Amino acid sequence: MRPFDYARASSPADAVRRYRPGTMYLGGGTNLVDLMRLGVARPEHLLDVSRLPLDAVEEVRGRLRVGAAVRNTDLAAHPLVRARYPMLARAVLTGASGQIRNMATVAGNLLQRTRCAYFQDVSRPCNKRRPGSGCPAIEGDHSNLAVLGHSGACVATHPSDMAVALAALEAEVHVTGPGGDRIVPMPGLHRLPGDTPERDTVLEPGDLVTAVELPPPPPGASLYRKVRERASFAFALVSVAAVLDVAADGTVAGCRIALGGLAHAPWRAERAERELIGRPATGGTFLDAAEAELEQARPLPRNAYKVPMARDLIVNTLEELAP
Amino acid sequence: MNRVEGRVKVTGLATYAAEYPVEGVAYAYPVQSLIAKGRVARVDAAAALAMPGVLAVLSVADPPELAEDADAELALFQRPEVAYRGQIVAAAVAGTYDEARAAADAVRVEYETADHDVSLRADHPGLYRPEVVNPGFPSDTEQGDLEGGLAGAATVVDVTYTTPVLHNNPMEPHAALAVWDAEGILLVYDSTQGATTDRDMIAKTLGLPPGRVRVVARHVGGGFGSKGTTRPQAVLAALAARVTDRPVKVALTRQQMFDVTGYRTPTIQRLRLGADGEGRLTALEHVAYEQSSTLKEFAEQTAVPARVMYATPALRTAHRLVRLDVATPSWMRAPGECPGMYALESAMDELACAAGIDPVELRLRNEPETEPDSGLPFSSRNLAGCLREGARRFGWERRDPEPGVRRDGEWLIGTGVAASTYPARRSPCQAVARVRDGGFLVQVAAADIGTGARTALTRIAAETLGVAPGRVHVELGDSDLPAAPVAGGSMGTASWGSAVVRACEELKKDGREGRADTTEEVGQDSELARHAFGAQFAEVRVSAVTGEVRVSRLLGVFAAGRIVDARLARSQFVGGMTMGLGMALMEETLTDEEFGGFLRRDLAQYHIPACADVPDVEAVWLEEEDERLNPMGSKGIGEIGIVGTAAAIGNAVHHATGHRVRELPITPAKMVMTRF
């Protein structure tokens, strides 16, 4: 680990004021400290924002406001989250391990970086870590990487489970920064790689996430399902966050689907959603919708499995949600 | 009896290699090769040496003195040639760990790069037949008319199985702390599976008489074989301490452990089995293809268990090796037996399916009278007993042989069986027992790598002396103690225990002290086929939606001689079976074809089973009397638990889904792509 200085911010405004080039905000540190040890992240100034008074979960005019420094464990256990957004609680609980969830924060979870093996190994090229150095994953190990929205520069995936649920719930990310305060709707926080994969999100230098606000839960039943190689402590090969509202006549009145493990960002399956609305809530409709979404998939030789896996998981999840 | 060192371990007082308090300690951090093949052209250490706290940079630019015949993996900085990506080519030494690490990062190494080859293939032009396979078996054996046996068979199975690179991941990283005293005696606190053997190897590498080196390893946080041979951290610590004239500590990172502490070779294994109408083997061929490095030959004994298992008139086993631009493979829990029995026991399941015979019954029908390859009588062999008892406990008689038909919602359910075997050896060992403070002190340079060796030896000594275990203190983990073989090959307890028994017997005669050296006794052991056996039963659930495989039940029944301590034994069996579950479903280190070296070198990416993956693992054993093995009548238990587990799980996956995955690990990706 290279030398760096460390300071604690006293308020969000203080954090933004003290931001300068070479600064990184430190939340729970469960990803950033790892990346510093690996030499992937090399901040000169570490500004600790984990103790800012941003650790409350509170109801604001029917919406749920989750502070950026709320720990994942506390978020998943919060009575309002469990009662109104069980899908979010479940998504958070499928992530990482109990120890990590005790440390990890909401903002840190959203801003965690890809687990692509090339990104994490500074001795190998990676366009995300060192722009212009190349993407060996495209020819090499991409077996866990993206099939949707990737580019010739990067096939990394976003690792968060929580973000996938937030994308389906149309959460809003509250940001403060040198340019003032603003709101970024999910899933718009994360970017697709294009030819600038080094930028994970639309945040600008100095921007600080202060909260995530959840609109009232959409009507219908919801579910988060995750496929992984072991029963806990593994990133998703594919995950689905789905909300399904079925009308009295058995047709789909509303639905939201977000996919994880497939792209550089939580992937809102808008094509599938359009395909579903107004049609009977049955397996055939679900299959059509899943296939419509996955027509855009561009799998590589070693991750082709993700397409049928995602298709079957979408169909099965919707079937579970259908009355 | 509780674990003797349980209290110091759970209270954090037990001291591991990197934890000994030493004044004025410095830290060394390795610089690893960024190329897979070529040579180091230039090392620029100027920037590193100018950094705060930096004491030295070691590299090939100024080769430190080592013995000319040093082991090629340990001959640090001696030659500019690079044999694999990740090889240690330099090291920075500084006053703190972070200073050393930052300095290592600042060392500039220039290379002349050559084209590399890191891919094992069954048609590789560089394949050859090694003279012997680990630890000294003949490479090839052949008896009877193989082709005739296959041609005349009612059922033939011809299948190829592959296993990936696997890595030991002990909890305690490989670490060493080296201290030279004023007389030039080297003390190394090393994380090792054998203080005596490690001392000898460090001495040989440095060109010192063994009497000038002492290795201390009182507590070792696991090894599984990766600490069974001396590893570079010990040599690096010694060299850095010599150069800087300070004690030096080296603790490898998890990522570095993947590069320089050995691994299980990937294998490609072709099995050809023929059977008559009753399922009796007419021919069995097992050919294994494996890799080693260009530095040295390590040939794993993958096809050797086939020489032990089943009666057949024609038996051929062979090993072929190719030297690639990779690190040298080494021991990993049950080297050879584990991947070899995975393939053999999977192929036996395929034979059972093809012949329409129950897989337990098939194995029973092929029980040999004597060891098939050698013709030697078995000291004891209770495989049939393990299979029958396991089948009874597992509820095997209710099994529907039809694959792919049992469903619970989206989950397909299946069961599988496989046999296990592992050699029961012992090696010469010395021990001393004496009366002290109203109790007894027993000394032997054994290593307790978390298996409970201290506790087992305390029990063995107490039983021999006829006193309560609380009156016996066993001292181990120090090369200054009576010489002992390595904690490996499942022969630790048998070897050390034999010496402890003899020393305690001498003490009883003498009244004050007893000394033992079992060299002669072991040399006089009658020639017998000595093996432990077992039967593994697995029940799996496979999601028809996601391809996820979950093991809902594992049962192992073992015949391993007299069990010295039931609690320790259960831990070893269950641990081995859990590791076998990891091998079946998740463990795999990927080789980077483009740049060489390994990818996914941490425990977030190299998946081993989490608690949620092992809901129900049960290990039981048969009472086995085998007095011809050693004074305890015991067989080793460290490795047999893993052998056969992966095959039982793979066979259960086939039974659940009707699909046979012949490439480990059996991942959701592979299950989905089979579109069962």
Side-chain angles (χ1 to χ4, degrees):
Chain A
M1 206 183 292
R2 311 193 120 204
F4 57 89
D5 63 49
Y6 169 92
R8 270 187 210 153
S10 59
S11 68
D14 178 54
V16 172
R17 196 165 50 241
R18 291 165 74 166
Y19 181 89
R20 55 205 149 123
T23 299
M24 291 186 81
Y25 296 133
L26 175 71
T30 58
N31 185 214
L32 178 55
V33 174
D34 275 354
L35 293 177
M36 288 170 68
R37 288 205 176 104
L38 293 170
V40 175
R42 298 178 167 226
E44 290 165 44
H45 319 287
L46 214 50
L47 201 49
D48 189 340
V49 295
S50 66
R51 300 186 194 202
L52 294 181
L54 300 173
D55 59 349
V57 178
E58 54 200 348
E59 199 177 351
V60 184
R61 295 180 299 277
R63 298 162 69 87
L64 199 68
R65 193 181 166 94
V66 179
V70 169
R71 307 282 164 173
N72 280 10
T73 298
D74 297 332
L75 175 66
H78 197 280
L80 285 174
V81 174
R82 290 170 58 182
R84 293 193 201 165
Y85 308 95
M87 176 175 76
L88 175 61
R90 182 153 168 179
V92 171
L93 288 175
T94 64
S97 65
Q99 293 90 334
I100 291 172
R101 292 195 295 269
N102 288 343
M103 288 294 292
T105 62
V106 165
N109 190 329
L110 283 175
L111 300 179
Q112 67 183 300
R113 310 211 67 193
T114 185
R115 261 59 180 191
C116 175
Y118 299 94
F119 174 76
Q120 293 195 317
D121 184 343
V122 294
S123 72
R124 292 179 160 89
C126 168
N127 283 329
K128 185 181 266 300
R129 182 167 30 76
R130 194 148 41 92
S133 62
C135 176
I138 291 171
E139 295 289 324
D141 173 29
H142 51 252
S143 49
N144 289 347
L145 301 181
V147 298
L148 287 166
H150 52 92
S151 70
C154 183
V155 289
T157 47
H158 187 68
S160 171
D161 292 295
M162 184 188 77
V164 179
L166 292 179
L169 293 169
E170 297 185 346
E172 292 173 346
V173 180
H174 291 230
V175 178
T176 186
D181 296 349
R182 68 187 202 282
I183 290 172
V184 182
M186 288 287 287
L189 177 70
H190 299 92
R191 302 173 67 252
L192 294 180
D195 55 9
T196 51
E198 68 276 16
R199 292 190 59 204
D200 291 353
T201 68
V202 299
L203 298 183
E204 298 293 335
D207 277 350
L208 177 74
V209 174
T210 55
V212 170
E213 206 169 280
L214 291 159
S222 68
L223 192 59
Y224 185 77
R225 284 200 64 183
K226 173 176 179 177
V227 186
R228 47 184 158 180
E229 287 171 0
R230 63 179 165 188
S232 77
F233 201 16
F235 296 101
L237 301 175
V238 177
S239 70
V240 175
V243 186
L244 185 69
D245 183 27
V246 180
D249 66 354
T251 60
V252 176
C255 81
R256 311 253 191 93
I257 300 170
L259 305 172
L262 299 182
H264 205 250
W267 186 270
R268 184 73 184 266
E270 290 171 355
R271 286 193 194 184
E273 293 173 6
R274 279 198 300 273
E275 191 74 23
L276 285 165
I277 296 295
R279 293 187 59 198
T282 60
T285 309
F286 301 152
L287 183 60
D288 290 347
E291 287 185 338
E293 189 64 42
L294 294 165
E295 264 175 24
Q296 312 162 75
R298 287 177 294 120
L300 295 165
R302 297 187 183 103
N303 66 9
Y305 72 90
K306 286 196 172 188
V307 178
M309 186 182 277
R311 180 197 63 206
D312 292 354
L313 191 67
I314 293 168
V315 171
N316 194 259
T317 304
L318 294 172
E319 281 176 341
E320 272 194 55
L321 290 173
Chain B
M1 173 176 176
N2 285 325
R3 207 175 265 241
V4 174
E5 77 285 12
R7 183 179 291 270
V8 293
K9 276 191 175 166
V10 300
T11 53
L13 294 171
T15 316
Y16 293 81
E19 299 178 336
Y20 286 85
V22 173
E23 290 284 319
V25 72
Y27 297 79
Y29 192 91
V31 178
Q32 298 178 269
S33 166
L34 296 181
I35 64 166
K37 189 181 184 186
R39 61 198 306 277
V40 173
R42 210 169 79 86
V43 178
D44 179 358
L49 287 166
M51 291 171 72
V54 176
L55 301 167
V57 170
L58 284 67
S59 79
V60 73
D62 182 16
E65 196 180 322
L66 283 182
E68 278 182 21
D69 61 344
D71 175 282
E73 282 270 346
L74 299 177
L76 299 179
F77 321 126
Q78 300 298 295
R79 300 168 67 236
E81 283 75 23
V82 171
Y84 61 91
R85 196 180 204 276
Q87 189 176 6
I88 297 174
V89 294
V93 194
T96 72
Y97 178 78
D98 289 314
E99 286 169 349
R101 189 165 184 166
D105 195 37
V107 174
R108 290 286 147 263
V109 183
E110 288 171 26
Y111 302 94
E112 288 165 16
T113 308
D115 290 341
H116 64 255
D117 178 2
V118 295
S119 306
L120 173 66
R121 314 193 313 262
D123 61 352
H124 197 290
L127 284 164
Y128 69 98
R129 180 173 68 79
E131 286 289 309
V132 292
V133 295
N134 179 63
F137 295 109
S139 177
D140 291 14
T141 61
E142 187 156 7
Q143 291 186 19
D145 177 5
L146 185 82
E147 298 301 336
L150 290 168
T155 311
V156 173
V157 164
D158 180 348
V159 286
T160 299
Y161 280 81
T162 66
T163 61
V165 171
L166 297 173
H167 272 91
N168 286 310
N169 272 292
M171 288 229 291
E172 183 204 11
H174 290 62
L177 167 55
V179 189
W180 294 86
D181 74 8
E183 278 76 51
I185 306 279
L186 172 65
L187 167 61
V188 185
Y189 298 99
D190 197 12
S191 187
T192 175
Q193 291 175 229
T196 306
T197 52
D198 197 39
R199 177 211 46 204
D200 292 349
M201 193 55 154
I202 291 170
K204 176 175 181 282
T205 306
L206 294 170
L208 296 170
R212 298 184 74 85
V213 179
R214 179 182 174 199
V215 167
V216 172
R218 296 208 178 91
H219 298 283
V220 180
F224 308 111
S226 67
K227 296 171 183 171
T229 53
T230 298
R231 287 286 140 193
Q233 82 276 355
V235 178
L236 177 56
L239 291 177
R242 195 169 68 187
V243 166
T244 58
D245 203 19
R246 282 172 68 167
V248 171
K249 201 181 271 194
V250 177
L252 297 182
T253 64
R254 186 63 61 181
Q255 288 82 3
Q256 289 165 349
M257 287 164 65
F258 279 78
D259 299 324
V260 299
T261 71
Y263 59 93
R264 198 193 291 286
T265 177
T267 70
I268 301 166
Q269 300 179 58
R270 186 176 179 199
L271 274 298
R272 290 196 294 163
L273 275 57
D276 66 18
E278 276 74 53
R280 287 185 183 83
L281 288 168
T282 57
L284 194 172
E285 182 188 47
H286 191 168
V287 182
Y289 302 89
E290 320 167 340
Q291 72 187 33
S292 190
S293 70
T294 58
L295 286 175
K296 63 187 228 188
E297 182 181 276
F298 177 82
E300 187 152 304
Q301 66 271 41
T302 309
V304 166
R307 301 172 189 170
V308 175
M309 287 305 296
Y310 300 114
T312 174
L315 172 64
R316 176 171 182 258
T317 61
H319 298 82
R320 297 293 176 267
L321 199 66
V322 59
R323 309 284 286 269
L324 300 173
D325 304 311
V326 296
T328 315
S330 186
W331 301 333
M332 181 168 180
R333 206 171 198 169
E337 277 78 9
C338 181
M341 285 292 278
Y342 160 68
L344 175 61
E345 291 300 295
S346 300
M348 284 294 281
D349 200 64
E350 298 210 43
L351 182 66
C353 290
I357 298 170
D358 178 83
V360 171
E361 176 60 26
L362 178 78
R363 287 171 174 83
L364 293 173
R365 284 187 197 175
N366 285 287
E367 268 289 284
E369 302 263 314
T370 56
E371 188 176 57
D373 178 58
S374 68
L376 289 172
F378 289 99
S379 70
S380 55
R381 174 176 169 122
N382 282 313
L383 174 58
C386 292
L387 286 163
R388 290 198 179 97
E389 176 63 10
R392 186 186 71 76
R393 285 173 177 262
F394 202 72
W396 192 258
E397 78 284 354
R398 297 192 298 274
R399 184 181 194 255
D400 169 8
E402 189 69 23
V405 296
R406 290 148 303 276
R407 246 187 131 108
D408 174 13
E410 73 179 70
W411 295 91
L412 294 156
I413 300 167
T415 50
V417 65
S420 314
T421 188
Y422 196 79
R425 308 183 190 96
R426 64 172 173 160
S427 283
C429 182
Q430 299 170 11
V432 173
R434 53 172 71 96
V435 175
R436 191 187 71 171
D437 302 336
F440 302 89
L441 174 68
V442 176
Q443 294 176 309
V444 54
D448 191 331
I449 62 170
T451 54
R454 217 178 238 100
T455 307
L457 293 176
T458 301
R459 232 184 141 112
I460 288 166
E463 281 172 19
T464 311
L465 293 167
V467 302
R471 292 184 63 200
V472 176
H473 179 73
V474 171
E475 195 181 344
L476 46 69
D478 187 334
S479 65
D480 277 2
L481 300 172
V486 73
S490 290
M491 62 178 187
T493 304
S495 308
W496 312 321
S498 295
V500 166
V501 167
R502 299 305 177 221
C504 290
E505 287 169 352
E506 289 302 309
L507 167 61
K508 279 166 76 179
K509 280 186 218 158
D510 181 81
R512 283 189 305 186
E513 183 179 291
R515 292 181 170 271
D517 181 341
T518 61
T519 306
E520 203 175 316
E521 175 181 334
V522 171
Q524 288 169 355
D525 279 347
S526 53
E527 215 185 335
L528 292 167
R530 302 162 193 272
H531 307 275
F533 291 91
Q536 307 269 2
F537 292 80
E539 178 186 87
V540 304
R541 298 163 65 84
V542 185
S543 168
V545 177
T546 67
E548 287 165 296
V549 181
R550 301 285 181 249
V551 177
S552 44
R553 266 198 303 158
L554 266 186
L555 168 68
V557 181
F558 302 97
R562 189 172 77 82
I563 297 301
V564 173
D565 183 297
R567 196 180 302 187
L568 298 174
R570 184 181 173 279
S571 292
Q572 287 296 297
F573 291 139
V574 167
M577 291 166 70
T578 303
M579 202 162 164
L581 188 159
M583 175 185 176
L585 302 184
M586 46 194 98
E587 292 188 44
E588 176 173 27
T589 310
L590 295 169
T591 298
D592 187 337
E593 305 277 334
E594 185 176 358
F595 300 103
F598 297 125
L599 286 166
R600 302 201 207 167
R601 299 178 303 151
D602 62 43
L603 292 175
Q605 309 251 14
Y606 184 93
H607 285 175
I608 58 173
C611 285
D613 295 300
V614 283
D616 183 358
V617 182
E618 186 184 6
V620 296
W621 49 88
L622 306 180
E623 294 295 325
E624 189 175 75
E625 296 294 327
D626 189 338
E627 298 305 328
R628 293 182 290 184
L629 294 165
N630 53 56
M632 293 80 62
S634 67
K635 295 175 180 175
I637 53 177
E639 288 164 293
I640 189 158
I642 193 174
V643 178
T645 305
I649 291 169
N651 295 340
V653 169
H654 171 262
H655 186 233
T657 65
H659 197 88
R660 187 76 66 175
V661 176
R662 297 191 183 91
E663 298 171 2
L664 289 187
I666 304 170
T667 58
K670 286 175 191 162
M671 293 312 298
V672 162
M673 291 313 275
T674 64
R675 297 172 183 283
F676 49 83

